[in-house]
Each structure stands twice: as structure tokens, then as C-alpha cells.
Amino acid sequence: MDWPSPKRGARVRRVGVVGMFLESNAFARKVDEARFRGLYLEGDDITADARSDHPRQMLEVVGFYDEMDRLGPWAPVPILVTMAGAGGAADHGFFVDTLDRVRRALDQVGPLDAVYLCNHGAMITTEEPDGDGVFFAAVRDTVGPDVPLVGTLDPHGNVSERMVDALDVVVAYRTDPHVDQRERGAEAAQLLRELWDGMTPHHVLVKVPIVAPNVALFTDSGPFAELVDAGQQQITSQICNVSILGGFAFSDTSKNSLAIIVTGRDCDVDARRLASDLADQAWANRHRFVAEAISIDEAVKLAVAAGRDPTFPAMVLSDLGDNCGAGGPANTVWMLEALHRGGADGVLVVNFRDRHLVKAARHVGIGNTFDATFTGDDWGREGRGNYLARAQVIALHEGPLVGRRGIVAGKTLTPGDMALLELDGVRVVVTSHTAVGNDPIFSEALGVDLAASRTIVVKVRSSFPVAYDEFVDSEHMLFVDTPGRTSPMPSRMPFESLPRPVYPLDTDFDWTNPLAAHESG
């Protein structure tokens, strides 16, 4: 980096970097300290990773560093960044300990000129439904009211007023699948420079009573895509950011909703008008925020046909009830069992998490056959979560990988030891750790020719199209309505805390836009 030398006497601004990233599914198992420790960085390790060729942490942090480096001298003051991906509620004791550690570090590092925060936005703990709000407010309380705080969020975050009030600017991704994380980190850096130059942010938050299934929140097409596009197209010089968050239904909190945050430059006139218009558009399209998926029986019929007829198009089937990108355990056996018993051929399942099965496969050795027990989640199966089948060990792999496609391209991936097992015409990539099957490298590392696969089954909802579109046309990527902790059908989930009424669980109610009501008053 070749920067002009700072003017004599000029002080390089110091920016804290903090993040606790978790998307919480209230129906998934608790996320404990060990899970967070899988990616837990403090101090200079954060900076070293962010500037490495194959970072492990969230790419918005990488984008923030890149843009701050590009814009001129600054002094990163990395505090703590930890990520547990998607899972259940965070262990509250660990959450409190982490927050205390962050506050102590912020006190000890001396005066800061800003703090950048990278959280998901849908974290709950075993005792607190607004984990991110508590986290942000604690950072604000520690650094004081005059230090700029900028934060990035996933568009599946569940926004509270406490979250927005604690930050000067909120920047949410604009894509699902999330392929703009670096860009949004860079945007946060740019807006921070504006704050330093004297811009006064005025945020406007409006929440629409829609808790959409996550399959209705893609940004390539559909109502959410149109909403995000409308927000970007209507930005004026008096608006510095439009962030629209569809929320994460599975968190099951009273703050769940579709949230629109528009931040104005120095005034809120344009921001208030745009936020109101976007809220009206969302509500007018509420009937489109629903899930569409095929049944397991339909999926098996298609897979059998694809295996028998080489002229039949290859497919990717998304196992929606076990979406590990939303807290699914990545080990339900509904699809595996149905495809195997249905006689499907040319099938690849990626990835099934079962470290004991990987260990057994390593003990048996490549080329040998054994009685494999797939230890699965028993949600909705009356305690019968496992599936037993005769399997051959085709390949083994150990060590980290580097993603090559989509949202994890260039990132270090840590699936743990892996095994490729074959059950007649069904092959299964088995990982020791939860690994979202959103990159071909998991299969390719085991020698799989994905171009020869007739049906690929993934345990993820959104990020697979950009991973497998070199093998399968988008029109043959299908969602399957499977049971599980991430079912796409809200009516099947045992929600307890969602605000009611809320669409689509409730349909016979009216909603008045509070911004419109304020303007008319």
C-alpha cells in the first residue's frame, strides 16, 4: 500500500473491529463455546486473517479492511471476532463472557475514532431474544455517544430498535445468495469516512408484519428482489444507504418482521419518504412471500428418471428441512432414505455430518464395504433418526479446503475429515463437522466428477446455485419440502414468540403504515 505520508502532526485514526456472528434457529440445538471457538480471533490475528489470501472470517470484514486500506492511512484496533454460522441459541453464559471480554478490551485500548461491528443480526441466546441489540448497545455504552459505530448485517437479521439506535449506520447485504459481502464491508468503510468528514446520519426504520419463509427472500427474482431493487433505484443524494432485511423466521422472537432501514444524509426527509414507499410495496406484495416446493415423492420420481434416462436433465435438489445454513443439523435422513429405497441412481448427497461414520469409514478403508449407520436427527421421526445401509468406502480426505465457487470462493473451509460412501446408486459426502454444501470442492476433493452426477442433493437453501451452475441449469434446481428444524412451511413450526398477527401465518388482518400515518397527521 503506497499512501501519501500523513501531514506532519496528523493523527492516524484508530478503528476497533468487533463481531459475534450467529444466525439463531430457536428449534436447533444450543450453540456452545466450542462451536464459537471454531472461528474465534482476537487482536492482531483478526488483521492477519483479513489480509490473508484465504481468510476464514466473514468476508464483509475482509471488504472493510480492503477499502479502509485503499482509502488511506488508518490504524485497525482488532478486538474480537467470532463466528458460529447458523445454529441454535447461543449459550448465554458464553455470550455474557464474550461481551465482557469485548468491553474490557475496548476500555483498555484507549480512545477510538470508530468501531466497525460485524454481526449477523439474528442472534438469540438461551436467555436473551435480542442478542445483537444487547451486543451493539453494550459497545455503544462502552465507547460513548460520540464515537461512530458502523455495522454490517445479513439480510436475514431480525431488527430491533435497540440495534438501529446503537449504530450510526447499518449496512445489510443486498443479495441472497450472499455474494456481496465484501462490497458491503467496503460500503461500511466508505460511510465511515463520510461520518468523519462531517455527515450526520438520520436513520428511518419501519417494520412490516411479514415473517417470510426464507425461500421467498431470494434477490434474483420475486417480491424481495423487487423490493431491494426499488430501494436502490430510488436512492437520492440525500440518502446514503437503504438496507432491507427479510428477517429469519426460525429465531421465533417478538422482533421478527420485514425491516426497512433508510439512512439519510444530514436530514431524514427523503429517507422517510422512501422508507414509507418501500413498506407499502412490501405489504402490497405480502401474498407472494410464501414457500413453493415439491414433495419428497416427486423428488424421488425425478431422481429415478434422471438416473435411468441420460437425456433427462441433471438436477440439484435442496433438502429444505435440513438447511444447515439456517440451523439444520445437516444429518436428517429423509432424502437419503427415500432416494436409496426408491432405487435412484447417479445421486450425490452433499454434505451429511457424522464424524463417527467418517471414523468408521477410515477404519474400514477405501474399497471395503461395511454396515453403515447414518446417525440422524430425530425431529419428527419419533426417535428413529438413524438410517442403516450397506456402504462401500470410495474415498477419504483430511485437512482444510479452499472454496472455489460462489460465496466461499477463496475462503478456507474446515469440514474436518471426510469420507465418500456409496450405497448402491447413491453416493454420500460425509463430513466430521457441519459444512454447508455450497461449493464443489467438498465433492471434488474426494474425486467426484460432478458433471457425471445425475442428481445432487444439498442440505442448504440459498447458496448452492452459484456453486453448481456449471453442472446444472438453474431451471433444474428444485426445492424439496422435507420435514425438519428448517421446514419451509411456517404453519408446521411450533412458533411461540412471533408478533401476531403476522403474514403468512395470519392472513385476515389490516396493517397501517406508521410512516404514512405520521405524515398524514
Side-chain angles (χ1 to χ4, degrees), residues 410-423:
K411 286 195 68 175
T412 296
L413 309 175
T414 54
D417 291 349
M418 301 192 301
L420 179 65
L421 305 182
E422 183 164 10
L423 292 65

Side-chain angles (χ1 to χ4, degrees), residues 280-358:
D280 286 341
Q281 178 178 331
W283 184 245
N285 284 282
R286 62 192 179 279
H287 62 283
R288 298 172 61 199
F289 285 95
V290 294
E292 296 181 358
I294 64 174
S295 68
I296 294 178
D297 288 345
E298 290 175 285
V300 171
K301 289 178 183 177
L302 290 171
V304 169
R308 290 176 179 173
D309 184 354
T311 66
F312 199 90
M315 299 178 298
V316 178
L317 301 177
S318 172
D319 182 356
L320 289 177
D322 193 18
N323 170 17
C324 62
N331 68 357
T332 68
V333 299
W334 294 99
M335 285 292 289
L336 171 62
E337 179 181 49
L339 290 164
H340 184 227
R341 289 183 173 175
D345 195 18
V347 173
L348 176 71
V349 178
V350 56
N351 295 308
F352 189 97
R353 177 185 59 82
D354 190 337
R355 61 185 177 88
H356 298 295
L357 186 54
V358 173

Side-chain angles (χ1 to χ4, degrees), residues 50-116:
R51 290 173 172 161
S52 69
D53 292 335
H54 304 298
R56 296 177 58 221
Q57 64 190 308
M58 295 74 72
L59 291 178
E60 49 267 46
V61 180
V62 178
F64 181 82
Y65 266 84
D66 286 348
E67 187 67 4
M68 290 295 290
D69 288 344
R70 187 188 71 81
L71 293 172
W74 69 298
V77 184
I79 304 296
L80 185 153
V81 171
T82 184
M83 175 183 179
D91 177 79
H92 189 70
F94 178 72
F95 171 80
V96 171
D97 290 345
T98 302
L99 193 49
D100 287 345
R101 193 172 185 87
V102 167
R103 296 187 68 156
R104 287 196 301 271
L106 288 170
D107 281 332
Q108 292 168 3
V109 297
L112 294 172
D113 297 286
V115 177
Y116 165 63

Side-chain angles (χ1 to χ4, degrees), residues 298-501:
E298 290 175 285
V300 171
K301 289 178 183 177
L302 290 171
V304 169
R308 290 176 179 173
D309 184 354
T311 66
F312 199 90
M315 299 178 298
V316 178
L317 301 177
S318 172
D319 182 356
L320 289 177
D322 193 18
N323 170 17
C324 62
N331 68 357
T332 68
V333 299
W334 294 99
M335 285 292 289
L336 171 62
E337 179 181 49
L339 290 164
H340 184 227
R341 289 183 173 175
D345 195 18
V347 173
L348 176 71
V349 178
V350 56
N351 295 308
F352 189 97
R353 177 185 59 82
D354 190 337
R355 61 185 177 88
H356 298 295
L357 186 54
V358 173
K359 185 176 180 179
R362 294 183 66 84
H363 178 74
V364 170
I366 294 173
N368 296 312
T369 302
F370 71 115
D371 292 324
T373 299
F374 291 82
T375 305
D377 187 30
D378 62 2
W379 175 282
R381 293 181 65 92
E382 299 179 352
R384 299 188 298 274
N386 297 352
Y387 185 62
L388 282 64
R390 195 74 179 159
Q392 183 180 21
V393 181
I394 304 300
L396 298 168
H397 184 275
E398 60 182 22
L401 303 168
V402 176
R404 73 173 188 84
R405 296 274 296 176
I407 70 172
V408 295
K411 286 195 68 175
T412 296
L413 309 175
T414 54
D417 291 349
M418 301 192 301
L420 179 65
L421 305 182
E422 183 164 10
L423 292 65
D424 302 316
V426 178
R427 289 188 172 192
V428 186
V429 175
V430 187
T431 62
S432 297
H433 306 149
T434 300
V436 181
N438 56 3
D439 196 285
I441 195 64
F442 296 109
S443 306
E444 293 169 342
L446 292 162
V448 174
D449 179 6
L450 284 163
S453 298
R454 303 298 295 136
T455 300
I456 302 170
V457 179
V458 295
K459 290 180 174 291
V460 60
R461 171 199 63 92
S462 69
S463 54
F464 69 90
V466 290
Y468 298 103
D469 59 5
E470 60 184 328
F471 309 108
V472 177
D473 293 335
S474 59
E475 60 264 34
H476 302 302
M477 297 182 179
L478 307 174
F479 296 111
V480 185
D481 177 12
T482 54
R485 300 174 191 267
T486 60
S487 169
M489 304 302 171
S491 60
R492 294 194 197 138
M493 302 304 291
F495 292 116
E496 295 181 352
S497 301
L498 293 182
R500 305 298 287 267

